Amino acid sequence: MDNGRFELRLTGSGGQGLILASIIVAEAAIAEGKVVTQSQVYGAEARGGTTKAELIISDRHIAYPKVTDPDLVAALTNEGLKQYGGGISRKTVVVIDSSTMALPESLNEEACKTLLALPIRNATVEKLGSELGLNVVLLGIIQGLTEVVSVEALRTAVSLHVKKQYVDLNMRALDLGIEMVRESATTGIRI
Amino acid sequence: MDNGRFELRLTGSGGQGLILASIIVAEAAIAEGKVVTQSQVYGAEARGGTTKAELIISDRHIAYPKVTDPDLVAALTNEGLKQYGGGISRKTVVVIDSSTMALPESLNEEACKTLLALPIRNATVEKLGSELGLNVVLLGIIQGLTEVVSVEALRTAVSLHVKKQYVDLNMRALDLGIEMVRESATTGIRI
Amino acid sequence: MKMSNLRSERLPNIWCPGCGNGIVLRSLLESVEQLGLDTDKIVVVSGIGCSSRAPAYTNFDNVHTLHGRAIPVATGIKLANPDLTVIVLTGDGDSSAIGGNHLIHAARRDVDITVIVFNNFNYGMTGGQASPLTPVASVTTTTPGGNTDRPFDLVNLTAGAGATYVARTGIYFTKHMLDHLKKAIAHRGFSLVDVIAQCPTYFGRFNRKGDAGQMIVSQKDWLVLKSVADKKSPQELAGKIVIGEFVNIPPPGPAVVPEGQV
Amino acid sequence: MKMSNLRSERLPNIWCPGCGNGIVLRSLLESVEQLGLDTDKIVVVSGIGCSSRAPAYTNFDNVHTLHGRAIPVATGIKLANPDLTVIVLTGDGDSSAIGGNHLIHAARRDVDITVIVFNNFNYGMTGGQASPLTPVASVTTTTPGGNTDRPFDLVNLTAGAGATYVARTGIYFTKHMLDHLKKAIAHRGFSLVDVIAQCPTYFGRFNRKGDAGQMIVSQKDWLVLKSVADKKSPQELAGKIVIGEFVNIPPPGPAVVPEGQV
Amino acid sequence: MPRIALMQGNEAVAEGALAAGVRFYAGYPITPSSEVAEVMARRMPQVQGVFIQMEDEIASIMAIVGASLAGKKVLTATSGPGFSLMQEGLGYACMIEAPIVILDSMRYGPSTGMPTKVSQMDLMQSRWGTHGDHWLIVYSPSSVQESYDLTIRAVNMAEKYRTPVVILSDETISHLREPITIADVSPTVDRRLPAERAGYLPYKTDATLVPAIANVGTGFRTSFTGLVHSDTGFQTANGHVAEALITRLRDKLLSKLDDIIELEADRVEDADITFISFGITARGVAEAVDVLRTRGKKAGSLRLVTLFPFSDDRIRKAAGNAPTIVVPELNSGQLVLLIKRVFGDSRRIVPLNKVNGDLISPADILNFVAEEKL
Amino acid sequence: MPRIALMQGNEAVAEGALAAGVRFYAGYPITPSSEVAEVMARRMPQVQGVFIQMEDEIASIMAIVGASLAGKKVLTATSGPGFSLMQEGLGYACMIEAPIVILDSMRYGPSTGMPTKVSQMDLMQSRWGTHGDHWLIVYSPSSVQESYDLTIRAVNMAEKYRTPVVILSDETISHLREPITIADVSPTVDRRLPAERAGYLPYKTDATLVPAIANVGTGFRTSFTGLVHSDTGFQTANGHVAEALITRLRDKLLSKLDDIIELEADRVEDADITFISFGITARGVAEAVDVLRTRGKKAGSLRLVTLFPFSDDRIRKAAGNAPTIVVPELNSGQLVLLIKRVFGDSRRIVPLNKVNGDLISPADILNFVAEEKL
Amino acid sequence: MPDRKTYKIAHVRKWCKDCGICVAVCPRKVFEIDRNDRQAIVNPQDCIGCQMCVEHCPDFALNVTEDKSDA
Amino acid sequence: MPDRKTYKIAHVRKWCKDCGICVAVCPRKVFEIDRNDRQAIVNPQDCIGCQMCVEHCPDFALNVTEDKSDA
Ligand SMILES: Cc1ncc(C[n+]2csc(CCOP(=O)(O)OP(=O)(O)O)c2C)c(N)n1
Ligand SMILES: Cc1ncc(C[n+]2csc(CCOP(=O)(O)OP(=O)(O)O)c2C)c(N)n1
Ligand code: SF4
Ligand code: SF4
Ligand code: SF4
Ligand code: SF4
Ligand code: SF4
Ligand code: SF4
Ligand SMILES: [Mg+2]
Ligand SMILES: [Mg+2]
């Protein structure tokens, strides 16, 4: 978090819950006294297709509200990374879902700070039984990688968005994400 | 016709055919190579009420198209004269229909060039059998008073606007008007 | 008729001699009086047209809106204050040409307003052009060779849109008119009365219908009571217009204003 | 179906997985082919909405207009060049909400165009709000507690406005759909087909109608053929929608375009 | 042989349109434009054209757009309230590049205002009434003859540039009768059509920046949309395409100002006071300038025949060097806002407004000049 | 205790309206404003208010006018195409002096354009979209917090001056989420009502120039019309009355500029280059000014919170003395036309336009300053 | 006819537009349009109080009440 | 069953959106949505050529023709 400012971009396809994920982080950040701006791209008026969600977290007033210099870019689809990979620099941590994405040709360790390929979808299905919770696993990954918000704040924010009976599942999803980061750090499955 | 320009205003109530009358004079004047602008006032969108028709006849281009300095004002109702008597000056000939109108208080010989009261409606009904033709009688009066257009041109213009079977009646109406002026000149029934 | 409901200080009205609008206006004032409505709680709304000038002669709150837009304004008023009796006075053009969409949607929503159409078969105010209710073959300034567009039947149109009260009447039949205006205003839900009025200045003149007196009396010949018409063949009814009550569906429950959205 | 009438270079289409619009589009292309129409002389016109994107997938002249305004554009095209077959593809919102007035007036004038309504009971394109055809009690983004406004019955509405051909069909019944589209297009005069389609993304999801496959197959349960329905009581038909041909008035003479004005 | 006829302004618009080849009229009556419809209802059948009275002004503009796409030259006529309703359709015509002509005969506003009284209150609306960046041509006649001539020109320009053209007239001119000269044949311009189907891209343009789009029903199978579209005519949300489109729509007009803009300057060269006006107001100005000149006052007049595109440069050049510029108009001050921009601080710009439903007469102007000591 | 909530701009408009006492919402969905309707559909029943989805935007604005006359505080929300359709109704509201508030969330135009892309292309339309001389208030929020606050202010101003107020927002702000602070109670203003029936003249005004008109259904029996009307509320075609009415409608706002106009100046005092902008564009400007300052370039910013009434004087004063003024906007140049008028030849006025559906970023501005050597 | 009711016909001249509707609807020929095209009450004594004229006058210019003055 | 007709099922993968409609309408369970949420043709041999899938595929992704290859 350069000078108290953190820029996050999530990209993937409609329906993966990325916008909600960015909102949850935003709420967690607000709870911790931060300022945020959250935005997303809308495609043509029809549904589906590629989406992007953006979040800026800062200690102070945020003037320009869109991400221009991302600290973290997480992509769940190749198309997403292609369309919304702009602005990735040596300061950017890039996370891709290795279960569904090919290694992006345009990107390499040199072009960013870290390039992390995690089997997000597979791990989710395997550990949680279905894809449900994929976006919360991603939240865990973001937390694990950046600690831009505390785990507690994130837990609270997540639980505000899910029905009672799913709280547990989501907490496990969050833990799974955090765990994946921890593991990757030890096992070093960076690309 | 001061410097080749003649300004005419007719006023009365809707349905008296004053607009048509002004158009007929306009057409006669055009036939004689003159330039004209003809206009009228529209009341509220609904019908009836007081109307005014205006005509400027000139030897050359007419810039401002509305009457500001009338040479002749002919009024068939008191209300018409009241509403649209503006601009009458020492150069203006004023004609009123003495069969239906009271002597206008505001007007006197001093305020205009000539103030002529003619029993237009009564004469029309008497000589032509009904009010039909009233506006053509007025045309005759205008012609008789001003000779701004020739009788022949006026006859032609009138006949272009009436069905064959009424041409005769209208020619008689025209003659009646001209005759009334002639008589008034000899009998001097000016006010 | 109580003169206090008429803004007599604004008379004579602006309508042409023999115009039917005043007769409808009178009937409206009479019906409001007979229904015993609280005159502080009546709002009369209109669009643009000769007929739409009628509200300004009533001594009620009145809103002269835009051409065709009386109904959405009336809808807004009624939903904002359901205690009010909201009556729309409109022309055939105002209601069925430019305002046609609002008309059918109000009927669909069954919003509790009453629409009284002053139907003179043409656009009086702008000089006698055809309206969507101008009969086939009639001459107007925009159908100099006779109208070839088919007119709406306002009863069918609004019934098809879901109206719960629809009636038609004519200004000659003052008792019939009064009865149906009263029923329409009293109806809980959307109601419409198509009142056959007259425009002697344009429609009458262009179509040689005679003077105002002849026009009004002739309604006896070409308006047929529904009860009578029901016994006649289509051939016998050719060229006639049927008057009476066509739809009268009582409201289902106590709620008449669309409530879920409210 | 002749692939040459489809702009396959523009596929996959923009619609959501399981959206019913493609099924109607296919049926349209099939009907045009079976009718043997000159494809150079077909113009497909639409408004705005998911369904209104359909014309751009046809290999005919096509005009994507403004929300609700397909019908007047189609009217202009048809009157300007009566040789053309003019077909309007529109949504339930496009045709009956903002475009309602044009719809009833086209029906009244009996202008020779065919209007095909892709009826998915909501505004798909803007995110699933209620439309004038949304059934009572249905959940949409603007009726979170269930719709309380009554919907139009498009058949009644357009019949009431004077339409000379009106039918209703559903996308499950592809043969029925094809037959009625063909009859509508072949009809001389104004024709409308209300095609019950589906929006799994919004209407289906909000109202727990199951996935796209379940939605389409379920039409077997709640759509009833008119021939069958005619023998049933209102109670038996509660919650069902009747499909079939409701109005089919042959044109009176050779002229189908309003002529007097032309 | 040219003939002379006495006509009302509205009739002249209708006859001008017919002379220019207009064969489709759709409209909805409104004071003070209704006579255009009434004349068209009578005249169209005589020339195998189509007259249709639509259900409202929205339908009217959309119907002429449709007929235009089918190859007809088209006209509608309205006044303020109807013009407001037409704004969405106007923007659509700009975007799909449908040649259409609209008469807006200005009456007193806002809202229903005073339907039978004159104003020039829709000036800014004619430029900015619809949403989004757009460009169009607006002409302003000041006589019946010009109502005829400019209507022909409007139709021709609409065809040439595939653009909506607005004729901004007013109640006075609409109802004024003046003799006009009618030529046997008028110069007409037809829209350019594509040569062949092979490689046809409806919105691809050459140096003219004007696309050669086929009429519907001629086998070219064009796709029209009010969404941002590429050369193919199909929708796209590509920002570059959008920028290129919007820029071309601007430049196709702004690069042809010589052809489009007409300004009429009268004795501005040596003027100490120049009046800049348009439409009916210019008639009073013309007379006032005459009088002022006879009184020894060096007055001049610049009349904007073309109101939009509005070229600051051309107006600056055409207006001469008078230190005082008076802008008389029948509204609370609209043109004067633009004129101020044109001249910056270099001149004294004086508004002269009349908003009582009457014209600005020569006497009004003379009095104003005297009172303001101009 | 004030609370903090994360909200979208559209949600903030809806919640701001509710906080200001709005209890009637009529609307028709359109991207990017639809969420306002969706929030209202959920929230209105909770506050005994009315939500109604109308058949189109014309009906929507007319319905809120009706509800306003019946005493409710009202809102509708739309975007360009719908705003175009509302223009006639907007002029009507001006004329009868109905307090109404309209959100226009600008998307890329003209026509349907790019529905999900941002623009600032309706700026001039918000002032000049309807026919006839008219005046209204237009506010431009540049954040979610301001969407909330300005909506409250818009409602209050509408009530205070009995005028339509437009909130000119855009796609980005509408969909942006930011934390906002919500006070327990917000300051609200209620329209003035007449004291007694005796001698009641609905349109008679005192020094405030704002009439105290009764709500319908309260026994005062008011007559409303969009025609020119006298103090009685009844129609007249009297030119003096017309002039007085139109002039009062102007002056009731133009005499209260202190209350209505808000301009936000930032470091303009010593600036060599000042940016004048509004809405979302001002956010990029703010960041660019910071960067320029850190680079030693004396930059400043003037943000127009109130767009209309547009006071040349106030803007001239508030803008400081920078010799160069840059006007960045998401259109082909609309605000810059006004700014040119304000400053005449005294400054260098440089337009910075972006019309590809993206925002003007701080980098865009910095690059522009560098490239243009400003 | 001692017990035949008689009626007072009030006519508001300044509201009347001489349209002739009362002439057309009156069953007893009470009214006439005179040679000056003006409405005139010519046979008031024949009035039977049927109210046809009152209800059809578009200008609120007529009022017919039972004449109780002799009673 | 020597004279039972067989059918070729053509599936345009890049147009298919895996919506499952073909699965729902096919009377012979020819299709399936697999565990990757993708449409799959699992029982082509059971096809009776009824065209239900073709006519209901919203994406023009299916074509079923009689397989004459063995004839
Ligand atoms: C938007 C708009 N379009 C057109 C008009 C012109 N106009 C005023 S009234 C009217 C028609 C009135 O006809 P109708 O509703 O039948 O009323 P009538 O005058 O016949 O009583 C028209 C077209 C207008 N005022 N506003
Ligand atoms: C004037 C205007 N108002 C609103 C919109 C926004 N809008 C676009 S499509 C649509 C509704 C579409 O519903 P429908 O016609 O049923 O089509 P569907 O998407 O369901 O196929 C709306 C409200 C618009 N484009 N223009
Ligand atoms: S024009 Fe016709 S409708 Fe209008 S006032 Fe005259 S008679 Fe009545
Ligand atoms: S939103 Fe609904 S109607 Fe639109 S494409 Fe998706 S499924 Fe079809
Ligand atoms: S009906 Fe009324 S207005 Fe007409 S003539 Fe008789 S009294 Fe006069
Ligand atoms: S009340 Fe009857 S009888 Fe008496 S004047 Fe009137 S219409 Fe004639
Ligand atoms: S119906 Fe068509 S799009 Fe849907 S899964 Fe089957 S083949 Fe794919
Ligand atoms: S043609 Fe019929 S049986 Fe064959 S796959 Fe398709 S739906 Fe199944
Ligand atoms: Mg009418
Ligand atoms: Mg739909």
Side-chain angles (χ1 to χ4, degrees), chain H residues 15-59:
Chain H
W15 295 349
C16 171
K17 297 192 190 122
D18 306 302
C19 70
I21 286 181
C22 52
V23 178
V25 299
C26 174
R28 305 307 294 253
K29 303 205 182 305
V30 169
F31 309 102
E32 203 183 87
I33 295 295
D34 71 15
R35 49 185 302 271
N36 291 319
D37 288 340
R38 299 226 117 190
Q39 188 259 28
I41 305 176
V42 287
N43 299 309
Q45 69 290 348
D46 292 351
C47 174
I48 54 170
C50 70
Q51 301 291 330
M52 286 292 276
C53 59
V54 175
E55 291 170 4
H56 288 96
C57 172
D59 292 282

Side-chain angles (χ1 to χ4, degrees), chain F residues 16-30:
Chain F
L18 291 167
V22 165
R23 289 297 176 273
F24 190 98
Y25 180 94
Y28 190 78
I30 183 167

Side-chain angles (χ1 to χ4, degrees), chain D residues 91-93 118 120-124:
Chain D
D92 45 321
F118 291 48
N120 57 15
F121 303 117
N122 78 156
Y123 296 168

Side-chain angles (χ1 to χ4, degrees), chain A residues 45, chain D residues 21 48-52 67 90-95 98 118 120 122-126 131, chain E residues 88, chain F residues 28-31 57 81-82 85 107 112:
Chain A
E45 287 196 38
Chain D
N21 292 343
I48 300 290
C50 294
S51 38
S52 288
H67 190 35
T90 175
D92 45 321
D94 196 59
S95 61
I98 194 165
F118 291 48
N120 57 15
N122 78 156
Y123 296 168
M125 176 143 279
T126 44
S131 94
Chain E
E88 195 199 7
Chain F
Y28 190 78
I30 183 167
T31 305
E57 290 86 351
L85 289 173
R107 61 191 224 184
T112 32

Side-chain angles (χ1 to χ4, degrees), chain F residues 43-162:
Chain F
R43 295 280 280 120
M44 274 300 182
Q46 298 169 1
V47 296
Q48 278 76 54
V50 177
F51 168 84
I52 183 167
Q53 184 176 318
M54 297 299 289
E55 53 273 22
D56 62 15
E57 290 86 351
I58 299 175
S60 299
I61 190 168
M62 296 312 279
I64 64 168
V65 165
S68 176
L69 296 185
K72 296 282 185 203
K73 296 183 181 177
V74 300
L75 176 75
T76 190
T78 189
S79 181
F83 195 47
S84 286
L85 289 173
M86 288 182 182
Q87 290 303 329
E88 196 200 8
L90 185 61
Y92 177 66
C94 290
M95 194 64 151
I96 65 165
E97 302 178 65
I100 62 169
V101 179
I102 303 166
L103 169 73
D104 173 19
S105 176
M106 292 182 283
R107 61 191 224 184
Y108 193 101
S111 198
T112 32
M114 295 197 293
T116 60
K117 299 280 177 159
V118 68
S119 92
Q120 297 182 307
M121 291 177 173
D122 305 351
L123 171 65
M124 290 296 264
Q125 184 194 28
S126 74
R127 172 67 186 91
W128 299 110
T130 192
H131 64 281
D133 277 354
H134 64 283
W135 291 266
L136 77 177
I137 298 174
V138 182
Y139 287 124
S140 157
S142 71
S143 68
V144 177
Q145 179 74 54
E146 209 174 33
S147 296
Y148 184 85
D149 297 339
L150 274 183
T151 301
I152 296 176
R153 182 152 169 194
V155 174
N156 289 343
M157 288 292 170
E159 292 286 318
K160 186 167 179 183
Y161 296 114
R162 292 201 70 106

Side-chain angles (χ1 to χ4, degrees), chain B residues 24 27 31 151-161 171 174:
Chain B
I24 290 174
E27 288 176 347
V151 182
E152 292 64 44
L154 209 48
R155 280 196 207 286
T156 316
V158 167
S159 42
L160 286 172
H161 281 274
M171 292 307 131
L174 206 58

